[in-house]
Amino acid sequence: MDNVLICNLSVLFFFSFLSLGEAKNLPTYPGPNKMRDCYCTVNLDQEEVFRTKIVEKSLCPFYGEDFYCEIPRTFRHLSFYIFDRDVFRRDSIIGKVAIQKEDLQKYHNRDTWFQLQHVDADSEVQGKVHLELRLSEVITDTGVVCHKLATRVLECQGLPIVNGQCDPYATVTLAGPSRSEAKKTKVKKKTNNPHFDEVFYFEVTRPSSYNKKSHFDIEDVDEVDKMEIRVDLWNASNLKFGDEFLGELRLPLKFLRQSSSYEAWYFLQPRDNGNKSLKPDDLGSLRLNVVYTEDHVFSSDYYSPLRDVLLKSADVEPVSASAAHILGEVCREKQEAAIPLVRLFLHYGRIVPFISAIANAEVKRTQDPNTIFRGNSLTSKCIDETMKLAGMHYLQVTLKPIIDEICQVHKPCEIDPVKLKDGENLENNRENLRQYVDRIFTVITKSGVSCPTVMCDIFFSLRESAAKRFQGDLDVRYTAVSSFIFLRFFAPAILSPNLFQLTPHHPDPQTSRTLTLISKTIQTLGSLSKSKSANFKESYMATFYDYFNEQKYADAVKNFLDLISSSGRRDHKSIEQPILLKEGFMIKRAQGRKRFGMKNFKKRWFRLTNHEFTYQKSKGDHPLCSIPIENILAVERLEEESFKMKNMFQVIQPERRVLYIQANNCVEAKDWIDILTKVSQCNKKRLTVYHPSAYLNGHWLCCKATADNTPGCTPCTGGLPANIQLDIDGDRETERIYSLFNLYMPKLEKMQEACGSKSVYDGPEEEEYSTFIIDDPKETYKTLKLIIEGVGTLEQEHAQYKRDKFKKTKYGSQEHPIGDKSFQTYIRQQSEISAHSI
């Protein structure tokens, strides 16, 4: 296993952030209403991985939804489809935006309007085909020669699933100016990775006198140059509209004159049928913000020098001379540095001392206690990110039940007299809003024992630093903590519950307005400011807040803040209530609990908590099956060939019982596998081997063993020791930090110059250096030198890897089929680099 772990390099593709903003100027509906009910989907090629809410009765729908996922497979296009919901018929596609993978960097981390493009069946393709072509010379019994083409269709991979099924077949056509001859493979049922392995023969030239000097007569050469072989992939459909086109490949025969035999993988291409598309302006546009990163991660020992410098940051005096603080100084946005730093320090158990060090330094620089931790500093961003990671389950326990109720019940809560709807009563609305605020305030202030330990330890450090710095201000020990737990944690989660995984989508306008009013009130209650009414610009909010101008609310906030920032706080048994980790519909295969029961597939609502994994018919029903977490011995992918179904995984239990589950898409499957593996990773009886295929018809499909209790034939991926598995994640965060240092290398060098300038010149600071915080030039310079050396070493390793990959990779292989534009770009870049080096 060690040899597997120390593989040279793995490639990880993932979005760190994807924001679906809004669409505008959509075409009107061809009816009296003219409005549309629209939603947007995110697709990897043709596979849907995310869907927004439906925005009703609008031609300029605002979505405001964010989506993050790690991409578990290769892809060619990231696509966005705008659909118009139809109650009686299939939803219709208005238009799409398709961004090629190699073009994603052009739009990296910036809002961009994209024109919607027309969608037709001939342009919706994905997948690749494996072909072998052989042009041979045949001499007949009469002594004449003709030329035959053998076309072997071996297999396809990654074909799209159309209307929930894929029954593909291929047609092979030899076409020329005056001829067209077509042949067809067998239909392969229920698979989007069909194995055909069928050979078709075509007579290319007419018989002529045999001539050893030339394979073709002059006129035959001209004829061959104009011929092409075309392979079309189709989905055999039972619908009255006919079979669906899946993609095509066109190859001119003239390239075979240089080589009589040719075998390669090809990307399928869209079909150009000559139809004129609608003008893009006619379909409207879509605003997107895509952050796409592609990280190449080495094994752990490559990162030791840079990782060691980073992990010592909490112990460096002053902390402004540490590697982590320097990263925050050179990055364009503090958030950019905070995300990988927090993940790295959390992983190695160093997050509390690091945040304590940078927070203490920031408090010392703060002059006014009323502005403490109010800026977008590295400290603030790191604490925000820590709360998001460590406090997600805490939010689920405290806020989710009430947020769900607010989203479902839709009580009127508008208290602005100008915005009241017809028939609404202002006093009734105020009472509805007051009840919601009271309930949320109570559940927050009584949740102190549930606050995660790492957050409490950070709050204790903030409290102590603030109280020591501003000894004359008795409230600063509260405001230092409330500025995070209320202003940056609870209030934003109430305002935008979808960003904190409390709701799947951005709430509708009425619910969003209610949550905005609740969030404003909770934020003010938690701020403990002297003049509450002055916090509101709107008079109606000041009037509403009079309900809460009682000392009991301030006392409840202080008691809560005291509890979560106490150094002696410990978690109690009461915390160990079930915490919902993930839920949603999936399809499962019956486990065969009944001796003669049918093992069919059924759609069920699955629910995972930190105690058990259950499924029921529908959300809220009584569980049909419950698997305690300690009974999950392994969670692994299931090979598609087992049931001819994609995105399947298996949950292995004691006595070799296996629950087979199909997720909705590849991203969902990976999410479920990851979280189930994580929550069961410490189980003492975890398996080390498993069967990657199912037990069907009296044997295991993978190893052909006949006994159903035969031990697994493949090592478990999730059965690695926890520290090794976590080290891989730590390496990825270090790689991300390396990438940031490398990106901002000019700023690192400028900071070195600033250190030198400060060391030899004690006068007024030069303007170009004034943006850096440098408390100790000599210590900062030492750290910068170590960073630059570490980054340089890793840069050399990456360059060597790319050179080795360039030498080994074959264009037309399964990994890089012909038509792979990103690989063509890579080849061109490497050729330029090689030429430059020479």
Side-chain angles (χ1 to χ4, degrees), residues 655-700:
E655 300 177 5
R656 302 291 172 182
R657 283 185 59 196
V658 183
L659 175 60
Y660 296 120
I661 303 172
Q662 183 188 36
N664 297 317
N665 55 61
C666 63
V667 172
E668 273 288 297
K670 185 180 187 304
D671 286 347
W672 275 106
I673 292 169
D674 286 349
I675 196 166
L676 280 164
T677 300
K678 183 177 180 181
V679 79
S680 63
Q681 193 149 34
C682 295
N683 289 350
K684 295 179 181 178
K685 296 182 180 180
R686 276 193 66 88
L687 299 179
T688 56
V689 291
Y690 78 107
H691 291 284
S693 292
Y695 183 82
L696 295 174
N697 302 322
H699 69 276
W700 292 99

Short mmCIF file of all heavy atoms in Angstrom, two decimals, residues 655-700:
data_model
loop_
_atom_site.label_atom_id
_atom_site.label_comp_id
_atom_site.label_asym_id
_atom_site.label_seq_id
_atom_site.Cartn_x
_atom_site.Cartn_y
_atom_site.Cartn_z
N GLU A 655 -21.62 -9.50 8.47
CA GLU A 655 -22.12 -10.71 7.84
C GLU A 655 -22.25 -10.55 6.32
O GLU A 655 -23.11 -11.16 5.68
CB GLU A 655 -23.48 -11.11 8.44
CG GLU A 655 -23.39 -11.38 9.94
CD GLU A 655 -24.75 -11.70 10.54
OE1 GLU A 655 -25.73 -11.80 9.76
OE2 GLU A 655 -24.82 -11.86 11.76
N ARG A 656 -21.39 -9.71 5.73
CA ARG A 656 -21.30 -9.51 4.28
C ARG A 656 -22.59 -8.98 3.65
O ARG A 656 -22.80 -9.13 2.45
CB ARG A 656 -20.91 -10.83 3.59
CG ARG A 656 -19.59 -11.41 4.08
CD ARG A 656 -18.41 -10.57 3.65
NE ARG A 656 -17.17 -11.03 4.27
CZ ARG A 656 -16.00 -10.45 4.11
NH1 ARG A 656 -15.90 -9.39 3.33
NH2 ARG A 656 -14.93 -10.91 4.71
N ARG A 657 -23.44 -8.37 4.45
CA ARG A 657 -24.63 -7.75 3.87
C ARG A 657 -24.22 -6.45 3.19
O ARG A 657 -23.42 -5.68 3.73
CB ARG A 657 -25.67 -7.46 4.94
CG ARG A 657 -26.43 -8.69 5.38
CD ARG A 657 -27.54 -8.35 6.34
NE ARG A 657 -28.48 -7.42 5.74
CZ ARG A 657 -29.36 -6.72 6.45
NH1 ARG A 657 -29.39 -6.82 7.76
NH2 ARG A 657 -30.20 -5.90 5.84
N VAL A 658 -24.76 -6.21 2.00
CA VAL A 658 -24.35 -5.04 1.21
C VAL A 658 -25.59 -4.29 0.74
O VAL A 658 -26.54 -4.89 0.22
CB VAL A 658 -23.52 -5.46 -0.03
CG1 VAL A 658 -23.04 -4.21 -0.77
CG2 VAL A 658 -22.32 -6.31 0.39
N LEU A 659 -25.59 -2.98 0.95
CA LEU A 659 -26.65 -2.12 0.43
C LEU A 659 -26.11 -1.41 -0.80
O LEU A 659 -25.13 -0.66 -0.74
CB LEU A 659 -27.05 -1.08 1.50
CG LEU A 659 -28.07 -0.03 1.08
CD1 LEU A 659 -29.38 -0.67 0.66
CD2 LEU A 659 -28.30 0.98 2.20
N TYR A 660 -26.73 -1.68 -1.98
CA TYR A 660 -26.31 -1.05 -3.23
C TYR A 660 -27.18 0.17 -3.49
O TYR A 660 -28.42 0.09 -3.46
CB TYR A 660 -26.44 -2.04 -4.40
CG TYR A 660 -25.54 -3.25 -4.28
CD1 TYR A 660 -26.07 -4.53 -4.22
CD2 TYR A 660 -24.16 -3.10 -4.24
CE1 TYR A 660 -25.24 -5.65 -4.13
CE2 TYR A 660 -23.34 -4.21 -4.14
CZ TYR A 660 -23.88 -5.47 -4.08
OH TYR A 660 -23.04 -6.55 -3.98
N ILE A 661 -26.53 1.31 -3.77
CA ILE A 661 -27.24 2.59 -3.90
C ILE A 661 -26.78 3.29 -5.17
O ILE A 661 -25.59 3.30 -5.49
CB ILE A 661 -26.97 3.49 -2.67
CG1 ILE A 661 -27.38 2.78 -1.38
CG2 ILE A 661 -27.71 4.83 -2.80
CD1 ILE A 661 -26.96 3.53 -0.13
N GLN A 662 -27.72 3.93 -5.87
CA GLN A 662 -27.39 4.76 -7.03
C GLN A 662 -27.69 6.22 -6.70
O GLN A 662 -28.84 6.57 -6.35
CB GLN A 662 -28.20 4.35 -8.26
CG GLN A 662 -27.81 5.17 -9.50
CD GLN A 662 -28.72 4.91 -10.70
OE1 GLN A 662 -29.92 4.72 -10.53
NE2 GLN A 662 -28.15 4.93 -11.90
N ALA A 663 -26.68 7.08 -6.81
CA ALA A 663 -26.86 8.52 -6.59
C ALA A 663 -27.33 9.18 -7.89
O ALA A 663 -27.31 8.58 -8.96
CB ALA A 663 -25.56 9.15 -6.11
N ASN A 664 -27.74 10.44 -7.77
CA ASN A 664 -28.32 11.14 -8.92
C ASN A 664 -27.28 11.51 -9.98
O ASN A 664 -27.61 11.58 -11.16
CB ASN A 664 -29.03 12.42 -8.45
CG ASN A 664 -30.19 12.10 -7.53
OD1 ASN A 664 -30.94 11.18 -7.79
ND2 ASN A 664 -30.31 12.83 -6.44
N ASN A 665 -26.04 11.76 -9.56
CA ASN A 665 -24.99 12.12 -10.51
C ASN A 665 -23.64 11.85 -9.87
O ASN A 665 -23.56 11.43 -8.71
CB ASN A 665 -25.11 13.60 -10.94
CG ASN A 665 -25.12 14.55 -9.77
OD1 ASN A 665 -24.15 14.62 -9.01
ND2 ASN A 665 -26.21 15.31 -9.60
N CYS A 666 -22.57 12.08 -10.62
CA CYS A 666 -21.22 11.72 -10.14
C CYS A 666 -20.80 12.55 -8.94
O CYS A 666 -20.12 12.05 -8.03
CB CYS A 666 -20.21 11.85 -11.28
SG CYS A 666 -20.00 13.53 -11.93
N VAL A 667 -21.20 13.82 -8.89
CA VAL A 667 -20.84 14.68 -7.76
C VAL A 667 -21.54 14.22 -6.50
O VAL A 667 -20.95 14.12 -5.42
CB VAL A 667 -21.17 16.15 -8.07
CG1 VAL A 667 -20.99 17.03 -6.85
CG2 VAL A 667 -20.30 16.67 -9.21
N GLU A 668 -22.86 13.91 -6.62
CA GLU A 668 -23.62 13.41 -5.47
C GLU A 668 -23.03 12.10 -4.96
O GLU A 668 -22.92 11.88 -3.76
CB GLU A 668 -25.08 13.23 -5.85
CG GLU A 668 -25.94 14.48 -5.70
CD GLU A 668 -26.19 14.81 -4.24
OE1 GLU A 668 -26.82 14.01 -3.52
OE2 GLU A 668 -25.72 15.88 -3.80
N ALA A 669 -22.68 11.21 -5.88
CA ALA A 669 -22.11 9.92 -5.48
C ALA A 669 -20.82 10.13 -4.68
O ALA A 669 -20.62 9.49 -3.63
CB ALA A 669 -21.83 9.06 -6.71
N LYS A 670 -19.96 11.01 -5.15
CA LYS A 670 -18.71 11.27 -4.44
C LYS A 670 -18.97 11.89 -3.07
O LYS A 670 -18.33 11.52 -2.08
CB LYS A 670 -17.82 12.21 -5.27
CG LYS A 670 -16.45 12.43 -4.64
CD LYS A 670 -15.59 13.35 -5.46
CE LYS A 670 -14.19 13.42 -4.90
NZ LYS A 670 -14.15 13.82 -3.48
N ASP A 671 -19.93 12.82 -2.99
CA ASP A 671 -20.26 13.44 -1.71
C ASP A 671 -20.72 12.41 -0.69
O ASP A 671 -20.29 12.41 0.48
CB ASP A 671 -21.35 14.51 -1.89
CG ASP A 671 -20.83 15.77 -2.55
OD1 ASP A 671 -19.59 15.90 -2.65
OD2 ASP A 671 -21.64 16.60 -2.98
N TRP A 672 -21.62 11.51 -1.12
CA TRP A 672 -22.13 10.49 -0.20
C TRP A 672 -21.01 9.54 0.23
O TRP A 672 -20.90 9.19 1.41
CB TRP A 672 -23.26 9.71 -0.86
CG TRP A 672 -24.62 10.35 -0.74
CD1 TRP A 672 -25.32 10.99 -1.72
CD2 TRP A 672 -25.45 10.42 0.43
NE1 TRP A 672 -26.51 11.46 -1.24
CE2 TRP A 672 -26.63 11.11 0.08
CE3 TRP A 672 -25.31 9.96 1.73
CZ2 TRP A 672 -27.66 11.35 0.99
CZ3 TRP A 672 -26.34 10.19 2.65
CH2 TRP A 672 -27.49 10.87 2.28
N ILE A 673 -20.20 9.10 -0.72
CA ILE A 673 -19.10 8.19 -0.38
C ILE A 673 -18.14 8.85 0.60
O ILE A 673 -17.72 8.25 1.60
CB ILE A 673 -18.35 7.74 -1.66
CG1 ILE A 673 -19.25 6.86 -2.52
CG2 ILE A 673 -17.07 6.98 -1.30
CD1 ILE A 673 -18.71 6.58 -3.91
N ASP A 674 -17.80 10.11 0.34
CA ASP A 674 -16.84 10.82 1.20
C ASP A 674 -17.37 10.96 2.62
O ASP A 674 -16.66 10.70 3.60
CB ASP A 674 -16.53 12.20 0.62
CG ASP A 674 -15.63 12.13 -0.60
OD1 ASP A 674 -15.09 11.04 -0.85
OD2 ASP A 674 -15.49 13.15 -1.30
N ILE A 675 -18.64 11.39 2.76
CA ILE A 675 -19.15 11.67 4.11
C ILE A 675 -19.43 10.38 4.87
O ILE A 675 -19.21 10.29 6.08
CB ILE A 675 -20.38 12.60 4.06
CG1 ILE A 675 -20.65 13.18 5.46
CG2 ILE A 675 -21.61 11.88 3.53
CD1 ILE A 675 -21.62 14.35 5.44
N LEU A 676 -19.90 9.33 4.17
CA LEU A 676 -20.10 8.03 4.83
C LEU A 676 -18.77 7.43 5.27
O LEU A 676 -18.66 6.85 6.36
CB LEU A 676 -20.82 7.07 3.88
CG LEU A 676 -22.34 7.25 3.76
CD1 LEU A 676 -22.87 6.53 2.52
CD2 LEU A 676 -23.05 6.73 5.01
N THR A 677 -17.76 7.57 4.42
CA THR A 677 -16.42 7.07 4.78
C THR A 677 -15.87 7.82 5.98
O THR A 677 -15.33 7.22 6.92
CB THR A 677 -15.46 7.21 3.58
OG1 THR A 677 -15.97 6.45 2.49
CG2 THR A 677 -14.07 6.71 3.95
N LYS A 678 -16.04 9.14 5.96
CA LYS A 678 -15.50 9.96 7.05
C LYS A 678 -16.15 9.63 8.39
O LYS A 678 -15.49 9.48 9.41
CB LYS A 678 -15.69 11.44 6.72
CG LYS A 678 -15.10 12.38 7.76
CD LYS A 678 -15.25 13.83 7.34
CE LYS A 678 -14.65 14.76 8.39
NZ LYS A 678 -14.81 16.18 8.02
N VAL A 679 -17.50 9.50 8.39
CA VAL A 679 -18.22 9.31 9.64
C VAL A 679 -17.98 7.90 10.20
O VAL A 679 -18.13 7.67 11.41
CB VAL A 679 -19.73 9.59 9.45
CG1 VAL A 679 -20.44 8.42 8.80
CG2 VAL A 679 -20.38 9.97 10.76
N SER A 680 -17.58 6.95 9.34
CA SER A 680 -17.37 5.57 9.81
C SER A 680 -15.90 5.18 9.87
O SER A 680 -15.58 4.02 10.11
CB SER A 680 -18.11 4.59 8.88
OG SER A 680 -17.58 4.66 7.56
N GLN A 681 -15.02 6.15 9.67
CA GLN A 681 -13.60 5.83 9.50
C GLN A 681 -12.96 5.26 10.76
O GLN A 681 -12.00 4.51 10.69
CB GLN A 681 -12.84 7.08 9.07
CG GLN A 681 -11.44 6.78 8.56
CD GLN A 681 -11.00 7.77 7.50
OE1 GLN A 681 -11.36 8.92 7.56
NE2 GLN A 681 -10.22 7.32 6.54
N CYS A 682 -13.49 5.60 11.93
CA CYS A 682 -12.89 5.13 13.19
C CYS A 682 -13.48 3.81 13.67
O CYS A 682 -13.14 3.36 14.77
CB CYS A 682 -13.04 6.20 14.27
SG CYS A 682 -12.12 7.71 13.89
N ASN A 683 -14.38 3.21 12.89
CA ASN A 683 -14.95 1.92 13.30
C ASN A 683 -13.85 0.87 13.41
O ASN A 683 -13.03 0.72 12.50
CB ASN A 683 -16.01 1.46 12.28
CG ASN A 683 -17.26 2.30 12.35
OD1 ASN A 683 -17.43 3.10 13.27
ND2 ASN A 683 -18.15 2.13 11.39
N LYS A 684 -13.87 0.13 14.51
CA LYS A 684 -12.78 -0.81 14.79
C LYS A 684 -12.75 -1.99 13.82
O LYS A 684 -11.70 -2.57 13.56
CB LYS A 684 -12.92 -1.33 16.23
CG LYS A 684 -12.73 -0.24 17.28
CD LYS A 684 -12.90 -0.79 18.68
CE LYS A 684 -12.73 0.31 19.72
NZ LYS A 684 -12.94 -0.19 21.10
N LYS A 685 -13.91 -2.36 13.28
CA LYS A 685 -13.98 -3.54 12.42
C LYS A 685 -14.00 -3.20 10.93
O LYS A 685 -14.45 -3.99 10.11
CB LYS A 685 -15.22 -4.37 12.78
CG LYS A 685 -15.17 -4.92 14.19
CD LYS A 685 -16.40 -5.78 14.48
CE LYS A 685 -16.35 -6.35 15.90
NZ LYS A 685 -17.54 -7.18 16.18
N ARG A 686 -13.51 -2.01 10.57
CA ARG A 686 -13.50 -1.63 9.15
C ARG A 686 -12.75 -2.67 8.32
O ARG A 686 -11.73 -3.21 8.74
CB ARG A 686 -12.83 -0.26 8.97
CG ARG A 686 -13.78 0.90 9.21
CD ARG A 686 -13.16 2.19 8.71
NE ARG A 686 -13.01 2.19 7.27
CZ ARG A 686 -13.96 2.60 6.42
NH1 ARG A 686 -15.10 3.03 6.87
NH2 ARG A 686 -13.74 2.59 5.12
N LEU A 687 -13.30 -2.93 7.12
CA LEU A 687 -12.69 -3.92 6.24
C LEU A 687 -11.45 -3.35 5.55
O LEU A 687 -11.33 -2.13 5.38
CB LEU A 687 -13.70 -4.36 5.17
CG LEU A 687 -14.98 -5.04 5.66
CD1 LEU A 687 -15.88 -5.37 4.48
CD2 LEU A 687 -14.66 -6.30 6.45
N THR A 688 -10.58 -4.24 5.15
CA THR A 688 -9.39 -3.83 4.39
C THR A 688 -9.51 -4.21 2.91
O THR A 688 -8.79 -3.69 2.08
CB THR A 688 -8.12 -4.48 4.97
OG1 THR A 688 -8.30 -5.90 4.99
CG2 THR A 688 -7.87 -3.99 6.39
N VAL A 689 -10.43 -5.17 2.61
CA VAL A 689 -10.65 -5.58 1.22
C VAL A 689 -12.15 -5.65 0.96
O VAL A 689 -12.94 -5.80 1.88
CB VAL A 689 -10.00 -6.95 0.91
CG1 VAL A 689 -8.49 -6.84 0.91
CG2 VAL A 689 -10.47 -8.01 1.90
N TYR A 690 -12.53 -5.53 -0.32
CA TYR A 690 -13.95 -5.58 -0.69
C TYR A 690 -14.07 -6.11 -2.12
O TYR A 690 -13.08 -6.28 -2.83
CB TYR A 690 -14.57 -4.19 -0.59
CG TYR A 690 -14.24 -3.27 -1.75
CD1 TYR A 690 -15.20 -2.96 -2.72
CD2 TYR A 690 -12.97 -2.72 -1.89
CE1 TYR A 690 -14.90 -2.12 -3.79
CE2 TYR A 690 -12.67 -1.88 -2.95
CZ TYR A 690 -13.63 -1.59 -3.90
OH TYR A 690 -13.34 -0.77 -4.95
N HIS A 691 -15.31 -6.36 -2.56
CA HIS A 691 -15.59 -6.78 -3.94
C HIS A 691 -16.09 -5.56 -4.72
O HIS A 691 -17.13 -4.99 -4.37
CB HIS A 691 -16.66 -7.88 -3.97
CG HIS A 691 -16.20 -9.18 -3.42
ND1 HIS A 691 -15.36 -10.03 -4.11
CD2 HIS A 691 -16.44 -9.78 -2.22
CE1 HIS A 691 -15.12 -11.10 -3.39
NE2 HIS A 691 -15.75 -10.99 -2.23
N PRO A 692 -15.38 -5.14 -5.78
CA PRO A 692 -15.81 -3.96 -6.54
C PRO A 692 -17.04 -4.20 -7.40
O PRO A 692 -17.63 -3.25 -7.92
CB PRO A 692 -14.59 -3.62 -7.39
CG PRO A 692 -13.85 -4.91 -7.53
CD PRO A 692 -14.09 -5.66 -6.26
N SER A 693 -17.43 -5.47 -7.60
CA SER A 693 -18.64 -5.80 -8.36
C SER A 693 -19.62 -6.55 -7.47
O SER A 693 -19.28 -6.97 -6.36
CB SER A 693 -18.30 -6.63 -9.59
OG SER A 693 -17.58 -5.87 -10.54
N ALA A 694 -20.82 -6.75 -7.97
CA ALA A 694 -21.89 -7.36 -7.18
C ALA A 694 -21.82 -8.90 -7.22
O ALA A 694 -21.16 -9.49 -8.08
CB ALA A 694 -23.24 -6.88 -7.68
N TYR A 695 -22.54 -9.52 -6.28
CA TYR A 695 -22.70 -10.98 -6.26
C TYR A 695 -24.01 -11.30 -6.96
O TYR A 695 -25.10 -11.05 -6.46
CB TYR A 695 -22.73 -11.48 -4.81
CG TYR A 695 -22.82 -12.99 -4.69
CD1 TYR A 695 -21.68 -13.78 -4.80
CD2 TYR A 695 -24.05 -13.62 -4.46
CE1 TYR A 695 -21.75 -15.16 -4.69
CE2 TYR A 695 -24.13 -15.00 -4.35
CZ TYR A 695 -22.98 -15.77 -4.46
OH TYR A 695 -23.04 -17.14 -4.35
N LEU A 696 -23.92 -11.85 -8.19
CA LEU A 696 -25.10 -12.12 -9.00
C LEU A 696 -25.00 -13.51 -9.63
O LEU A 696 -23.89 -13.95 -9.99
CB LEU A 696 -25.25 -11.08 -10.12
CG LEU A 696 -25.53 -9.63 -9.70
CD1 LEU A 696 -25.49 -8.72 -10.92
CD2 LEU A 696 -26.87 -9.51 -9.01
N ASN A 697 -26.12 -14.18 -9.70
CA ASN A 697 -26.19 -15.49 -10.37
C ASN A 697 -25.18 -16.49 -9.80
O ASN A 697 -24.53 -17.25 -10.54
CB ASN A 697 -25.98 -15.34 -11.88
CG ASN A 697 -27.01 -14.41 -12.50
OD1 ASN A 697 -28.17 -14.42 -12.11
ND2 ASN A 697 -26.56 -13.59 -13.45
N GLY A 698 -25.00 -16.44 -8.48
CA GLY A 698 -24.18 -17.44 -7.82
C GLY A 698 -22.69 -17.19 -7.81
O GLY A 698 -21.92 -18.08 -7.43
N HIS A 699 -22.22 -16.00 -8.19
CA HIS A 699 -20.79 -15.72 -8.12
C HIS A 699 -20.54 -14.20 -8.09
O HIS A 699 -21.41 -13.42 -8.48
CB HIS A 699 -20.04 -16.35 -9.30
CG HIS A 699 -20.36 -15.72 -10.62
ND1 HIS A 699 -21.46 -16.07 -11.36
CD2 HIS A 699 -19.73 -14.74 -11.33
CE1 HIS A 699 -21.50 -15.35 -12.47
NE2 HIS A 699 -20.45 -14.52 -12.48
N TRP A 700 -19.35 -13.84 -7.61
CA TRP A 700 -18.93 -12.44 -7.63
C TRP A 700 -18.46 -12.11 -9.04
O TRP A 700 -17.61 -12.82 -9.60
CB TRP A 700 -17.80 -12.19 -6.63
CG TRP A 700 -18.23 -12.31 -5.19
CD1 TRP A 700 -18.06 -13.39 -4.38
CD2 TRP A 700 -18.91 -11.32 -4.43
NE1 TRP A 700 -18.59 -13.14 -3.13
CE2 TRP A 700 -19.12 -11.87 -3.14
CE3 TRP A 700 -19.36 -10.02 -4.68
CZ2 TRP A 700 -19.76 -11.17 -2.12
CZ3 TRP A 700 -20.00 -9.32 -3.68
CH2 TRP A 700 -20.20 -9.88 -2.42
#
